[in-house]
Amino acid sequence: MGALDEGHFNGSLENGVKLESLKLDLEHESETAVMEDAVKVLLQGLGEDSNREGLKKTPLRVAKALREGTRGYRQKVKDIVQGALFPEAGLYNGVGHAGGAGGLVVVRDLDLFSYCESCLLPFQVKCHVGYVPSGQRVVGLSKLSRVADVFAKRLQDPQRLANEVCLALHNAIKPAGVAVLLQCWHIQFPEVECSSAEQSSHLTEVDMPGWVKISVTSGSGVFENENGDCWADFLSLLKFRGVNVENNSQPSWCPSRSLDVLACNGHTSTRNSSCRASTNMVPTQPAMITAVTTILQSLGEDPLRKELVGTPQRFVHWMMNFKRSNLEMKPNGFYSSRMGLLKSSLQNDNGNINSNQDEIRSVLNLPFWSQCEHHLLPFHGVVHIGYFQPHGADHVGRSILQSITHFYGCKLQVQERLTRQIAETVSSVLGEDVMVVVEANHICMISRGIEKVGSSTATIAVLGRFSTDPNAKAMFLQTISNSTGYGRT
Ligand SMILES: Nc1nc2c(ncn2[C@@H]2O[C@H](COP(=O)(O)OP(=O)(O)OP(=O)(O)O)[C@@H](O)[C@H]2O)c(=O)[nH]1
Ligand SMILES: [Zn+2]
């Protein structure tokens, strides 16, 4: 935490504004400035120019996003719950879970986002909270979510998050018991084998990072015994709304932790990462690691806390996936020689690329991950590529188009630029008639800011005949909706 000098004040200004809040603002500003400098070091480590358009405000945005994402350290549960405990007569005959209290209350499907303490990436949480009122009073329903958010907005591990929410609610409401079930989704690391935790890949491609999903639970009072009938009631009220209640918690769920094992064994990652120039663990930059350590301190955390000791290395490891590189530098396992393959596969017998009998080809659902340059937060989704295939020529290999997609995904990006770059590169070898559609979820729009869980963004780039022939464009868009099942006419 940035320290203020001795001169900070306890008095009050003539206009009654407590200087205390001035002190906090000054502290906030100094912490933000320190984090901004640290982010600049990270950008330089990626070979980026932090003064270029698009990155100029990134250090400040990232600092604000991290402070916002860990606001829970600065919030108090009692401020949230006090004043929201309402008297409510329980069951008249004094029977039921807690003798005379009301029955079980469950609030389901609370969408939260937390920061993984092992790798500093946001992870998604569906939180379900139950409690049995006692003492003839109930708590305001929204407070269950607000209290859960206090602990989510910290650097967390799912099991500790569940335990802290459960304990905080128990202490604040003093019910007969509290039950918490969290379903958590963590971004998979490109070069990590699928961990034993349940894989729920939101993407179709096997060799692309999906999501690691785990479920954890915590119970207090009448919910302490997870075989008891109170817990059974809680799970029933979740199951009949389709909540998957199996508990598959893992001792270390963060995929980046398996990289520690790989690094310790000194061998390369078992998965040829498509987002990395080589399959070796990219040597992490000491200055970048120090910068992340500084960020942890500015957030009020202790980098020496055992769960955080490897976090700076893991975060830098993730960031190195998005190191600046050019196509000619043979990065990301993509070799320009493959471009030659692409060209030859398209030549028909008289050697030209386009002839008027050609037909529209679609390569759909190429998964990608990228990093928004405005917030240094991931965005991910799928790319659809349409092109005109000369009559009699071979199909273009999906893997080549996947390599191009990976290459441009593994950059600090905005989605419009990603779409254009893929279109331009593909058209440079497939001929100018190319159309690209990118569909993506932006973590910066679901985990912070507008916090719109479920929102997604689609962008289109059309070149050549796709821009002049509306039928060609419509045909390609129809193949996408046929493949997704939506918009079937
Ligand atoms: N066009 C475009 N915008 C993006 C992309 N990724 C993030 N953004 C936007 O970048 C903008 C940055 O706006 P700023 O106002 O500078 O930053 P901010 O205050 O963090 O913005 P909010 O996310 O609205 O809180 C936001 O509107 C983001 O949604 C992208 O791929 N394309
Ligand atoms: Zn993690």
Side-chain angles (χ1 to χ4, degrees), residues 171-228:
N171 292 341
I173 307 171
K174 302 208 181 1
V178 176
V180 174
L181 183 143
L182 303 181
Q183 297 167 292
C184 304
W185 288 267
H186 189 304
I187 287 171
Q188 183 56 285
F189 271 52
E191 68 274 47
V192 167
E193 284 305 322
C194 297
S195 60
S196 52
E198 184 202 334
Q199 281 301 303
S200 68
S201 167
H202 287 191
L203 300 166
T204 49
E205 198 71 11
V206 173
D207 74 350
M208 264 309 289
W211 291 81
V212 175
K213 178 189 166 202
I214 63 166
S215 297
V216 292
T217 56
S218 188
S220 68
V222 293
F223 293 102
E224 248 171 61
N225 170 10
E226 293 205 355
N227 300 313

Side-chain angles (χ1 to χ4, degrees), residues 230-269:
C230 285
W231 195 263
D233 294 354
F234 173 62
L235 295 185
S236 301
L237 291 181
L238 297 184
K239 271 188 280 197
F240 65 60
R241 276 292 163 257
V243 177
N244 181 347
V245 298
E246 101 294 351
N247 177 338
N248 66 342
S249 65
Q250 302 284 327
S252 66
W253 82 308
C254 174
S256 71
R257 283 196 170 271
S258 28
L259 292 173
D260 301 354
V261 175
L262 294 175
C264 297
N265 300 346
H267 62 74
T268 59
S269 62

Side-chain angles (χ1 to χ4, degrees), residues 13 24 48 127 208 263 284 319 341 365 394 404 406 426 475:
L13 287 175
L24 285 177
E48 286 284 358
C127 170
M208 264 309 289
T284 46
M319 287 299 289
L341 247 185
N365 296 308
D394 305 341
I404 294 172
H406 278 324
V426 171
M475 271 173 70

Side-chain angles (χ1 to χ4, degrees), residues 18 41 86 136 204 232 289 301 320 328 344 408 425 465 487:
K18 267 247 175 272
V41 170
F86 306 103
Q136 313 287 324
T204 49
I289 291 176
E301 264 287 6
M320 295 307 278
E328 307 68 49
S344 59
Y408 287 108
T425 304
R465 275 186 273 178

Side-chain angles (χ1 to χ4, degrees), residues 433-453:
D433 303 323
V434 166
M435 181 166 173
V436 174
V437 173
V438 176
E439 299 178 282
N441 301 320
H442 286 248
I443 300 285
C444 71
M445 288 168 69
I446 52 182
S447 70
R448 55 154 299 286
I450 58 172
E451 293 192 41
K452 290 287 175 269
V453 175

Side-chain angles (χ1 to χ4, degrees), residues 57-58 60-62 64-65 371-375 377 379 413-418 442 444-445 448-451 457 459:
K57 281 175 56 187
T58 296
L60 177 59
R61 289 191 201 102
V62 173
K64 279 168 54 182
Q371 188 90 331
C372 136
E373 68 180 22
H374 295 143
H375 296 100
L377 285 173
F379 65 99
Q413 277 285 13
V414 290
Q415 185 170 332
E416 295 90 337
R417 188 191 315 146
L418 170 68
H442 286 248
C444 71
M445 288 168 69
R448 55 154 299 286
I450 58 172
E451 293 192 41
T457 301
T459 43

Side-chain angles (χ1 to χ4, degrees), residues 118-193:
S118 297
C119 70
L120 217 48
L121 288 176
F123 64 91
Q124 188 163 348
V125 183
K126 267 238 188 270
C127 170
H128 314 280
V129 181
Y131 81 103
V132 175
S134 72
Q136 313 287 324
R137 79 186 155 204
V138 296
V139 69
L141 296 175
S142 66
K143 309 310 177 188
L144 298 173
S145 174
R146 288 184 184 282
V147 168
D149 198 59
V150 166
F151 297 95
K153 289 291 181 282
R154 297 182 182 192
L155 302 192
Q156 275 292 4
D157 157 82
Q159 189 57 62
R160 194 173 75 245
L161 175 55
N163 296 343
E164 288 180 347
V165 172
C166 183
L167 183 63
L169 287 172
H170 195 96
N171 292 341
I173 307 171
K174 302 208 181 1
V178 176
V180 174
L181 183 143
L182 303 181
Q183 297 167 292
C184 304
W185 288 267
H186 189 304
I187 287 171
Q188 183 56 285
F189 271 52
E191 68 274 47
V192 167
E193 284 305 322

